[in-house]
Amino acid sequence: MKALLVVDVQNDFCPGGALAVNEGNLVVEPVNRLVKQFEAESFPVVFTRDWHPANHVSFSPNGGIWPPHCVAGTKGAEFCSTLYFPSVSLLVSKATAFDTEAYSGFQGTGLASYLKEVGVDSVVVAGLATDYCVKNTVLDALTLGFAVEVVSDAVRAVNVNPTDGEEALREMEERGAQLVTSNEIGF
Ligand code: VGL
Ligand code: ZN
């Protein structure tokens, strides 16, 4: 069975946010379409969120490389208001400990055991950002033995270097992920 993993579609990663991803808001439309398709099939939908304490090690005042973002309980950490939520879904918060960075939705969350428990062997991944949390989530999913499809029109990159997003997609593909578009997802 397939599950949909929606990665970090949060205000701080959208235009105007603390760690804005160019066109980050544009993932919402294809993501919403996919969520509705999975909901109609009664297949699992998982939303991850970056959910940091205010003193997180990844923040520049604490020696990290990012501006403070997605601080638990703030407006910036909320999901984009236009995101559609199905009647049933799983919420996964990550990077919640102040001293640990965690880009992958599988890191320290129990997500893999949950998916295996309910019979998921294949995941469809969309969201933000291509070159960090999407990439690390995809690579972990492959390592854990899941088949992985990455939805190319439903991801966007931070692009600290301008080609980071493209390189991340290539790396995911080389590791065995399939790049697909949102209208190509079958069950
Ligand atoms: C992310 C940078 C820092 C992401 C999270 O969700 O891709 N990127 N924290
Ligand atoms: Zn973060």
Side-chain angles (χ1 to χ4, degrees):
M1 179 174 58
K2 260 183 207 189
L4 177 63
L5 306 187
V6 179
V7 176
D8 298 5
V9 182
Q10 293 166 272
N11 290 329
D12 272 343
F13 296 126
C14 285
L19 182 33
V21 172
N22 191 32
E23 298 186 340
N25 55 314
L26 297 188
V27 306
V28 172
E29 186 274 330
V31 163
N32 284 350
R33 261 191 290 118
L34 289 168
V35 170
K36 287 171 189 175
Q37 265 182 278
F38 275 75
E39 182 182 35
E41 303 282 345
S42 296
F43 286 169
V45 178
V46 178
F47 294 88
T48 72
R49 63 181 180 185
D50 214 29
W51 197 247
H52 300 310
N55 62 346
H56 194 249
V57 66
S58 77
F59 297 169
S60 41
N62 311 317
I65 63 170
W66 303 116
H69 63 278
C70 296
V71 173
T74 64
K75 189 85 191 163
E78 287 176 15
F79 290 113
C80 296
S81 60
T82 48
L83 200 58
Y84 171 79
F85 286 92
S87 55
V88 179
S89 64
L90 181 69
L91 170 63
V92 171
S93 301
K94 64 182 171 56
T96 60
F98 86 92
D99 58 350
T100 311
E101 179 58 298
Y103 291 130
S104 164
F106 290 98
Q107 193 178 337
T109 63
L111 177 58
S113 341
Y114 167 77
L115 293 176
K116 290 187 173 171
E117 183 98 0
V118 300
V120 170
D121 55 5
S122 177
V123 294
V124 175
V125 184
L128 303 170
T130 314
D131 37 0
Y132 291 93
C133 289
V134 169
K135 178 176 100 169
N136 284 276
T137 299
V138 164
L139 297 182
D140 272 357
L142 291 165
T143 300
L144 289 158
F146 295 97
V148 181
E149 291 167 288
V150 183
V151 188
S152 54
D153 56 317
V155 296
R156 289 294 187 284
V158 176
N159 284 337
V160 172
N161 303 300
T163 58
D164 284 354
E166 281 309 312
E167 282 168 29
L169 287 174
R170 214 174 322 129
E171 186 179 346
M172 292 184 253
E173 206 172 20
E174 276 165 15
R175 282 277 307 275
Q178 218 186 319
L179 300 190
V180 298
T181 60
S182 56
N183 52 26
E184 287 175 339
I185 300 295
F187 295 101

